[in-house]
Amino acid sequence: MKNRLFSLVTLSALCISLLLASCGRSSASAAPKTRKITDAAGRVVEIPLLVNRVVDLWPAHHGMVLLLGGADKLVGTVAMAQKQPWLQKLYPRIKGLPAVTGAGNDLNIETLLSLHPDVILMSYAGGMPSWMDKVAAVHIPVVLMPAVTFDDIKTTILMTGEVLGPKQAAAARDFAKYYQDNIDRVRAVTAAIPMEGRPKVLHSMQSGVLAIDGVESLIDNWINIAGGANAAFNVKGLGKIVTLEQVIKWNPDVIICGTAPNLANKRKIMSDPQWSGIKAVKNGKVYANPSGVYLWDRHSAEGALQILWAAKLLHPEKFRELDMKKETAAFYRRFFHYNLTDGDFDSIMNAEAPRH
Amino acid sequence: MNATLQKPSRTRALIVLFALLAVLAIASVFYLALGRYYVPAGTVARILLAAVPGSAPVSPRWQETEWIVVWLVRLPRLLMVVLAGMGLALSGACLQGIFRNPLVGPHLVGVSSGASFGGVLAILLSLPAAGVVGLAFAFGMLALVMVFGLSRLAGRAGILSLVLAGVIVSAFFGALVGLTQHLADPEAKLPGMVYWLMGSFAGADWKKAPIIGIPTVAAGIVLLLLRWRINLLSLGDTDAAALGVKVGPLRWGVLVLISLIVSAQVSVSGGVGWIGLVIPHFARMLVGPDHRALMPASVLLGGIYLLVMDCLARNLTSLEIPVGLLTALVGAPVFAFVFWKTQARGWGRD
């Protein structure tokens, strides 16, 4: 009995290894159909020459794929991305795509395999995704995209275009130029502003707790480009939890609320007696950060608009000719082929879902 | 068991209680004077004295911001921290008594996990602070009802069925907490949830103070009045019944009161662990196992312990450290030490 079982096991093992070997050989003979790309982690990744089936596991990144005209190549997504109301409106197909993971942390490998992806796209901020080894074992290439600085948004768009194909790569170059132009346009005015002319900006993301965005982050990057100074100068990184006393000590000139519900958080801060002594509250300078296809203030293509919005917010007298409504409408028309109504604009400014 | 009930002298217990009260008062003064925003101690004293009714009017020689920091930020937080510490330690002392088990804490009744689930659910749904408090409280009480129902289903009123029901309900709500976290946006919501679960008083204000204050004070007073009966319960069901105690109703009454206290605490400050489990052991070392002295001593010690930990949590760095982390970080090794030192005496086998 034991013997029989043993031979059965050896036999099946032999079959499997033969199968695997033949698989390996057949793909090796088709070798010239691939190209190489260096990703944000410095890995050289081999991807198919033609990429037609993409699984995107980075919620913030879906808007970028869409604006490059590559969204129809998506075959799998992450549940978090499917919940974004503006993405749903601009690209309804997203709701029907299979989600490989809830939030990008642990994926269902069998769902992934059933989608036969050419490539997986994911963010990289210094740590490998937990599922990296699992995916490497089934030979699906993963391209990691940079997600630390404000400049990384541009790099990510260019890298995405390169992965998706020549048409998308051209669109990416077009977008990158627009993005850089906006930065340069703002910098031309703000670069000369001395430290004492820069309002102290606190960017908070309250979700039950008082979390703020410190230096060495993309939030800090755009605050500086827009002519402000991060009030939380002695805290590093995103979403750090601080005491209210620390905020009172920083005494920011401007407070920007950056986590849903932005508008409700703004109202809470404005009406809370504990915050009433802070300069920004006294002067009514508490704002909700806009949010569209993705949160404007985070890793979003709309960072190109965020920089204009923040500059106008911090230095209205220096950016008098800048019309946010016009810029925003032009942006969505040019990159998402969508005509923004006045109601749409208000929803985006208040970080609300589109009104139907 | 009975051998350990030998009374330390009444005077000694009284002295210990007064000493603890004095320590609590001194610690409170330090708590109000220390913070990331510097307010001179004299100003703190003037702000507080000005609020004492009937006191000579003090000219407000302080800045508006100083008043906000002391009166709107530190004072409500101090009250909430002390009340939470007191309530948790008292709950632990009562539970260890009525379960006749030194390894029991408020987490056992399932109420903490129920309340935790309510809290993270509210964060997932982007509800405002009032929603977090409301749902945490509601689910905490729901957990108790489930424990009650389950142990009734078991058909026996014994301690074992109650403990089992508590474990089941805890596990169930623990899984729901995990599910909620799994569904949360990792960038925007998950950090808030994790932080809230670790326990913190960062959100303390005057609106939340009565939410923890009223249930804790009301239920706490009733529990303290019951301390003689809890003494009898700690003798065991049979002995207590022989002495004329209605074991079932009394035990459930105590559980309802404890659940009120624990839900109130979790709803305003998330999961603050270890106090209910550890503090009664220290109180027992100080005043002995008689609940008439043990319960008030636990109350005072619990208040002091959480106050000191929270003072560290908001002052050590420019960031806010979750106080629940500190209570466990300090509590666990200390508990291990006490357990090692005392395992041979005191609470032995039943």
Side-chain angles (χ1 to χ4, degrees):
Chain A
M1 185 63 199
K2 229 181 202 169
N3 240 333
R4 219 202 220 155
L5 196 75
F6 177 75
S7 56
L8 209 77
V9 169
T10 13
L11 195 73
S12 43
L14 203 77
C15 283
I16 289 171
S17 54
L18 269 173
L19 219 93
L20 283 177
S22 65
C23 277
R25 213 165 292 141
S26 66
S27 66
S29 62
K33 286 195 178 282
T34 65
R35 56 197 163 117
K36 287 191 171 107
I37 184 165
T38 307
D39 76 356
R43 301 153 61 243
V44 177
V45 186
E46 203 170 335
I47 58 173
L49 202 58
L50 293 175
V51 168
N52 285 316
R53 305 181 64 83
V54 176
V55 170
D56 193 350
L57 297 183
W58 185 10
H61 186 251
H62 283 63
M64 305 188 193
V65 175
L66 177 61
L67 81 84
L68 295 180
D72 288 345
K73 296 189 176 192
L74 290 175
V75 292
T77 180
V78 32
M80 207 53 64
Q82 295 174 307
K83 290 184 199 145
Q84 297 164 20
W86 275 100
L87 185 68
Q88 280 182 9
K89 186 177 169 89
L90 297 184
Y91 194 69
R93 179 175 166 260
I94 195 73
K95 284 180 281 183
L97 286 179
V100 181
T101 165
N105 29 30
D106 201 10
L107 50 76
N108 186 324
I109 195 83
E110 295 199 19
T111 309
L112 183 73
L113 284 171
S114 73
L115 301 174
H116 304 288
D118 294 326
V119 64
I120 296 172
L121 303 179
M122 182 59 184
S123 64
Y124 176 76
M128 285 291 166
S130 54
W131 40 258
M132 204 64 186
D133 292 341
K134 254 201 290 190
V135 172
V138 292
H139 305 292
I140 300 173
V142 180
V143 177
L144 297 171
M145 318 235 170
V148 180
T149 67
F150 192 62
D151 222 39
D152 282 346
I153 294 172
K154 197 175 65 184
T155 317
T156 294
I157 294 253
L158 288 169
M159 198 180 276
T160 306
E162 202 187 330
V163 169
L164 293 176
K167 226 176 95 188
Q168 288 80 16
R173 282 191 295 275
D174 180 45
F175 180 87
K177 185 176 177 305
Y178 167 81
Y179 188 85
Q180 191 59 47
D181 283 350
N182 280 5
I183 292 178
D184 293 344
R185 176 179 169 191
V186 169
R187 255 210 191 107
V189 178
T190 59
I193 300 174
M195 207 50 209
E196 57 272 18
R198 290 172 175 258
K200 283 190 288 175
V201 181
L202 185 81
H203 191 270
S204 91
M205 35 180 285
Q206 275 192 302
S207 51
V209 289
L210 176 56
I212 57 95
D213 295 315
V215 297
E216 295 182 20
S217 67
L218 88 163
I219 303 278
D220 187 65
N221 293 154
W222 62 248
I223 289 176
N224 287 318
I225 298 171
N230 195 340
F233 63 92
N234 51 354
V235 172
K236 278 183 199 171
L238 295 175
K240 299 294 175 198
I241 297 180
V242 299
T243 57
L244 189 60
E245 275 190 47
Q246 181 66 65
V247 174
I248 293 173
K249 194 174 170 187
W250 286 326
N251 199 19
D253 301 304
V254 173
I255 296 174
I256 299 175
C257 301
T259 296
N262 298 12
L263 204 58
N265 284 335
K266 170 200 157 169
R267 293 198 181 119
K268 184 185 174 290
I269 288 177
M270 285 299 290
S271 63
D272 189 338
Q274 287 186 331
W275 290 71
S276 61
I278 295 168
K279 227 190 259 173
V281 178
K282 277 185 175 161
N283 298 332
K285 296 199 167 179
V286 182
Y287 306 96
N289 206 103
S291 174
V293 177
Y294 196 70
L295 312 166
W296 278 22
D297 46 350
R298 308 247 152 211
H299 309 92
S300 165
E302 289 139 310
L305 290 171
Q306 173 76 17
I307 197 69
L308 300 180
W309 176 80
K312 172 115 183 166
L313 187 82
L314 300 180
H315 299 285
E317 74 295 343
K318 290 192 170 69
F319 289 93
R320 215 167 268 143
E321 84 297 348
L322 176 67
D323 182 347
M324 245 357 258
K325 199 167 181 172
K326 243 168 74 188
E327 294 286 346
T328 308
F331 178 91
Y332 287 98
R333 193 176 316 117
R334 177 170 169 191
F335 295 109
F336 290 107
H337 315 293
Y338 177 77
N339 286 320
L340 216 61
T341 65
D342 284 0
D344 288 340
F345 177 72
D346 292 341
S347 302
I348 288 177
M349 284 295 132
N350 294 331
E352 288 166 345
R355 299 163 198 166
H356 294 289
Chain B
M1 193 51 206
N2 276 334
T4 62
L5 263 179
Q6 49 188 242
K7 251 186 267 169
S9 77
R10 210 182 146 77
T11 32
R12 192 193 146 183
L14 271 177
I15 291 170
V16 170
L17 290 181
F18 275 110
L20 288 176
L21 201 60
V23 172
L24 182 62
I26 295 166
S28 302
V29 172
F30 272 99
Y31 187 95
L32 287 174
L34 291 172
R36 300 297 298 177
Y37 188 93
Y38 174 70
V39 184
T43 310
V44 174
R46 277 203 303 281
I47 290 171
L48 293 177
L49 285 176
V52 176
S55 66
V58 187
S59 57
R61 280 177 296 139
W62 55 75
Q63 289 163 355
E64 192 202 355
T65 306
E66 291 177 326
W67 182 81
I68 289 173
V69 165
V70 173
W71 195 260
L72 296 184
V73 178
R74 287 185 197 164
L75 193 58
R77 184 161 173 162
L78 168 76
L79 292 178
M80 287 171 63
V81 164
V82 170
L83 283 170
M86 287 179 159
L88 289 173
L90 179 65
S91 305
C94 292
L95 284 169
Q96 290 177 7
I98 63 173
F99 284 112
R100 305 166 66 219
N101 187 330
L103 288 173
V104 166
H107 58 281
L108 193 96
V109 204
V111 178
S112 315
S113 355
S116 296
F117 170 63
V120 291
L121 185 66
I123 296 175
L124 182 76
L125 300 175
S126 296
L127 298 184
V132 176
V133 171
L135 278 191
F137 203 86
F139 277 96
M141 295 317 284
L142 176 69
L144 181 73
V145 172
M146 285 168 69
V147 170
F148 186 79
L150 270 179
S151 69
R152 270 296 149 99
L153 272 183
R156 281 173 305 160
I159 288 174
L160 188 66
S161 67
L162 215 152
V163 172
L164 271 176
V167 169
I168 293 169
V169 171
S170 279
F172 177 66
F173 280 114
L176 286 180
V177 167
L179 181 68
T180 316
Q181 285 184 289
H182 181 71
L183 294 173
D185 182 341
E187 218 173 289
K189 297 217 176 111
L190 193 57
M193 279 184 193
V194 171
Y195 193 85
W196 188 83
L197 282 173
M198 284 192 286
S200 167
F201 288 89
D205 59 26
W206 282 116
K207 269 185 267 169
K208 286 186 192 145
I211 293 168
I212 181 167
I214 293 170
T216 306
V217 171
I221 288 175
V222 178
L223 283 173
L224 284 171
L225 291 176
L226 286 174
R227 59 194 191 276
W228 169 244
R229 282 161 197 275
I230 291 169
N231 249 357
L232 295 181
L233 267 190
S234 73
L235 296 173
D237 289 5
T238 331
D239 290 357
L243 288 165
V245 175
K246 285 184 180 133
V247 174
L250 178 60
R251 187 183 291 134
W252 277 108
V254 170
L255 281 180
V256 169
L257 292 170
I258 288 170
S259 303
L260 270 174
I261 294 176
V262 173
S263 312
Q265 178 271 315
V266 176
S267 67
V268 296
S269 54
V272 179
W274 281 91
I275 291 180
L277 183 59
V278 176
I279 294 299
H281 289 272
F282 286 98
R284 213 168 278 123
M285 285 167 71
L286 285 175
V287 298
D290 185 338
H291 286 84
R292 284 171 297 176
L294 173 63
M295 284 168 56
S298 297
V299 166
L300 292 171
L301 263 181
I304 294 167
Y305 181 66
L306 194 53
L307 187 146
V308 172
M309 288 301 130
D310 191 59
C311 206
L312 294 176
R314 64 193 186 94
N315 281 311
L316 277 183
T317 65
S318 59
L319 303 178
E320 167 102 34
I321 303 168
V323 70
L325 280 190
L326 290 181
T327 56
L329 210 60
V330 178
V334 168
F335 187 57
F337 178 74
V338 172
F339 184 67
W340 171 64
K341 286 295 264 189
T342 59
Q343 58 168 338
R345 54 204 164 80
W347 292 80
R349 279 162 241 108
D350 274 341

